[in-house]
Amino acid sequence: MLDTIQWDADLIRRYDLAGPRYTSYPTAVQFQDDIGPFDLLHALRDSRKAGRPLSLYVHVPFCAHICYYCACNKVITKDRGRALPYLEKLEREIEIISRYVDRTQPIEQLHFGGGTPTFLSHDELRRLMQHLRQHFNLLDDDSGDYSIEIDPREADWSTMGLLRELGFNRVSLGVQDLDPEVQRAVNRLQTLEETRAIVEAARTLQFRSVNIDLIYGLPKQTPERFARTVAEVIALQPDRLSLFNYAHLPERFMPQRRISSDDLPSPADKLAMLQNSIEQLTRAGYRYIGMDHFALPDDELAIAQEEGTLQRNFQGYTTHGHCDLIGLGVSAISQIGDLYSQNDSDIASYQQTLGNGQLATRRGLHCNADDRLRRAVIQQLICHFELRFADIEQAHDVVFRDYFEALWPELEQLHRDGLIELSAEGIQVRPAGRLLVRSLCMLFDRYLNDQVRQRFSRVI
């Protein structure tokens, strides 16, 4: 069974390394400042000529309240008036980008992330969606995969009704933890009733999917308290559930400095939380998709994994990895063919550049042949827990064993340790290795070294 996980505490202790989550390969850490608007527009022309379908990501950075654990690119403000100048520049970016896209290229996937996208007023959300429909080929038959991140404290039934009317059919709810003491420690007070009201609204309004995000390793958490949170969330029956490991990096993320390291759970308690949560979710019928993600068996992600079509990109696990991804808004990342590009991460600079009629593309990279090969290997392992050497050899014209000769002793060690089954035909990730698949993928990362590794969270 694809979703089988075997808990092996000894292996976890040995292979719980810091490393990337591989929403891309190469990762954003490798982006350089020599990529600009010209590179993006050139890639868009190639996408148009090929007639590839598109995925849009729209970044709305504003939050009314700061959550101390957060590592997102965000702007904390209670001044709702700050949204309009940003919206105007976002619309300008949409206009420029759309000139290089053909109307026949369907927008199969759309995602509003943040920040808190529902920070925008109903009129502003309506205006933004109208602008997107005016300039891109958004689907009108509800067949698209159109999702939005929601803070249940910032939404109500009327908000959900508006979002459904605008064409959204998936929602992702930030919850993190339902224990009041934990919530106070991270400055995110949110009742179970607030969350349940949004889930019930989504069901009534026939949203296709509800995802709930949880985080383990937060201050004041204990295995017993977190087990209660997981049980209460399971009772809401979300279609998907994400269970993230909190990475305490106060030197990189200023809000985390308000969290006392003395309040953080011990490594042993963190492991207990993860193990308990996996057991609870498995008993409730959820399948382990990989990389902190669980889904019910009839969810599209679970079906895609069974059928071998699951992929991964900057929006996480997806059934739309074949689409070119256009990122809109401050810090947004695009992946178009072999180009990765990222907008300016400073909102003032982003707005000023677009105010001058220019795109705010600031950094990125062009993938070379080696990047494409390693990306294919990592994607296959992280999405399907198996790799057939013949597939890689045929697609990239290499002899796998020769190309990765230097890795073979380490792969053989993983085989001996029981993480993988290594044969002449390929690699199969064993149940004991599924939680540690990132550690396997790191072997194939040409850019990873100790200095780069320090920028990432641990696997578990």
Side-chain angles (χ1 to χ4, degrees):
M1 287 289 291
L2 269 173
D3 54 345
T4 303
I5 305 173
Q6 180 183 326
W7 186 270
D8 189 315
D10 180 55
L11 283 180
I12 288 171
R13 278 191 293 271
R14 288 162 61 193
Y15 285 98
D16 181 19
L17 309 170
R21 298 180 59 79
Y22 293 114
T23 49
S24 73
Y25 179 84
T27 67
V29 171
Q30 303 306 323
F31 289 1
Q32 303 294 322
D33 293 336
D34 58 354
I35 298 294
F38 176 81
D39 300 277
L40 175 60
L41 298 180
H42 188 76
L44 286 169
R45 285 193 195 98
D46 290 342
S47 178
R48 182 178 63 196
K49 286 177 188 173
R52 289 194 290 266
L54 300 175
S55 171
L56 297 182
Y57 171 75
V58 181
H59 191 70
V60 181
F62 304 104
C63 291
H65 311 279
I66 189 166
C67 302
Y68 296 160
Y69 56 80
C70 185
C72 299
N73 182 289
K74 60 197 172 296
V75 175
I76 308 299
T77 180
K78 287 187 169 56
D79 179 8
R80 304 280 166 165
R82 292 193 63 179
L84 184 57
Y86 179 77
L87 185 57
E88 290 169 347
K89 304 307 180 293
L90 189 57
E91 289 173 345
R92 185 76 180 111
E93 183 179 17
I94 290 166
E95 291 161 11
I96 297 171
I97 292 285
S98 67
R99 294 177 199 153
Y100 298 85
V101 171
D102 197 287
R103 290 291 297 186
T104 61
Q105 291 178 268
I107 306 300
E108 290 189 5
Q109 185 180 36
L110 170 70
H111 183 73
F112 278 29
T116 307
T118 47
F119 181 94
L120 300 179
S121 70
H122 288 196
D123 286 344
E124 287 166 341
L125 283 166
R126 203 182 292 276
R127 169 178 165 168
L128 177 53
M129 281 299 290
Q130 183 179 0
H131 206 72
L132 285 167
R133 289 189 180 278
Q134 185 181 337
H135 289 86
F136 292 104
N137 181 19
L138 267 65
L139 305 174
D140 291 319
D141 59 0
D142 210 35
S143 63
D145 199 343
Y146 293 179
S147 61
I148 184 168
E149 295 171 15
I150 290 180
D151 180 342
R153 302 169 301 170
E154 289 272 339
D156 54 19
W157 268 81
S158 66
T159 304
M160 297 299 288
L162 171 73
L163 295 175
R164 194 70 185 94
E165 175 196 325
L166 293 177
F168 290 100
N169 50 32
R170 295 182 179 276
V171 289
S172 181
L173 310 183
V175 173
Q176 322 319 345
D177 195 299
L178 289 166
D179 187 275
E181 191 171 350
V182 177
Q183 291 181 353
R184 281 191 291 272
V186 298
N187 197 42
R188 186 188 176 103
L189 296 172
Q190 176 178 327
T191 65
L192 173 60
E193 288 68 32
E194 286 174 310
T195 303
R196 184 187 289 122
I198 298 301
V199 172
E200 290 176 352
R203 300 279 186 235
T204 304
L205 295 163
Q206 297 185 311
F207 280 80
R208 192 183 305 160
S209 174
V210 174
N211 174 79
I212 288 180
D213 289 341
L214 297 178
I215 299 178
Y216 69 97
L218 292 174
K220 302 292 186 181
Q221 279 180 338
T222 67
E224 296 75 24
R225 283 179 178 165
F226 195 64
R228 283 197 295 272
T229 284
V230 173
E232 286 167 332
V233 167
I234 287 172
L236 298 175
Q237 291 191 292
D239 304 271
R240 300 175 185 174
L241 192 142
S242 302
L243 186 64
F244 295 111
N245 165 26
Y246 171 62
H248 190 57
L249 300 168
E251 65 282 358
R252 286 189 58 202
F253 305 111
M254 194 173 296
Q256 294 187 0
R257 295 173 193 173
R258 304 192 196 186
I259 292 175
S260 170
S261 57
D262 294 338
D263 290 336
L264 296 174
S266 68
D269 277 354
K270 277 187 77 170
L271 281 181
M273 284 181 228
L274 178 60
Q275 184 176 11
N276 294 344
S277 300
I278 290 170
E279 291 171 356
Q280 287 175 273
L281 290 164
T282 302
R283 282 197 303 270
Y286 285 87
R287 288 190 50 170
Y288 179 67
I289 301 298
M291 290 286 296
D292 322 312
H293 284 68
F294 298 80
L296 292 173
D298 60 351
D299 183 85
E300 286 180 17
L301 290 185
I303 293 169
Q305 192 172 55
E306 272 188 10
E307 296 176 347
T309 58
L310 186 66
Q311 294 165 295
R312 190 164 171 81
N313 64 14
F314 286 105
Q315 297 187 33
Y317 285 107
T318 179
T319 56
H320 298 277
H322 59 286
C323 296
D324 279 331
L325 170 62
I326 298 174
L328 302 164
V330 62
S331 77
I333 297 176
S334 299
Q335 180 181 344
I336 302 167
D338 288 329
L339 175 77
Y340 296 128
S341 67
Q342 183 173 24
N343 282 344
D344 201 313
S345 295
D346 178 76
I347 188 169
S349 180
Y350 166 84
Q351 293 186 176
Q352 182 179 358
T353 304
L354 278 152
N356 294 331
Q358 297 175 320
L359 290 176
T361 313
R362 282 290 174 271
R363 54 200 291 268
L365 63 80
H366 288 284
C367 291
N368 58 33
D370 178 74
D371 294 332
R372 290 193 291 272
L373 190 161
R374 292 170 186 268
R375 177 170 67 185
V377 169
I378 289 171
Q379 174 117 173
Q380 190 65 25
L381 290 170
I382 218 162
C383 290
H384 302 288
F385 301 121
E386 64 179 359
L387 179 73
R388 290 180 66 248
F389 296 155
D391 293 342
I392 298 297
E393 291 174 339
Q394 186 175 354
H396 297 272
D397 194 25
V398 297
V399 177
F400 193 95
R401 175 71 188 257
D402 294 345
Y403 198 91
F404 292 109
E405 183 66 32
L407 295 184
W408 226 255
E410 292 175 273
L411 290 172
E412 288 174 335
Q413 184 62 51
L414 290 178
H415 173 84
R416 287 192 296 272
D417 287 343
L419 270 77
I420 64 171
E421 185 72 41
L422 180 64
S423 68
E425 287 74 40
I427 296 170
Q428 187 89 28
V429 182
R430 290 174 172 170
R434 295 204 171 137
L435 288 171
L436 300 162
V437 71
R438 275 165 72 186
S439 297
L440 168 62
C441 292
M442 286 180 221
L443 292 184
F444 294 95
D445 188 337
R446 184 169 67 87
Y447 301 98
L448 200 62
N449 55 43
D450 289 341
Q451 183 178 0
V452 172
R453 199 189 295 273
Q454 291 172 10
R455 297 175 63 97
F456 297 103
S457 63
R458 297 177 79 86
V459 170
I460 300 294

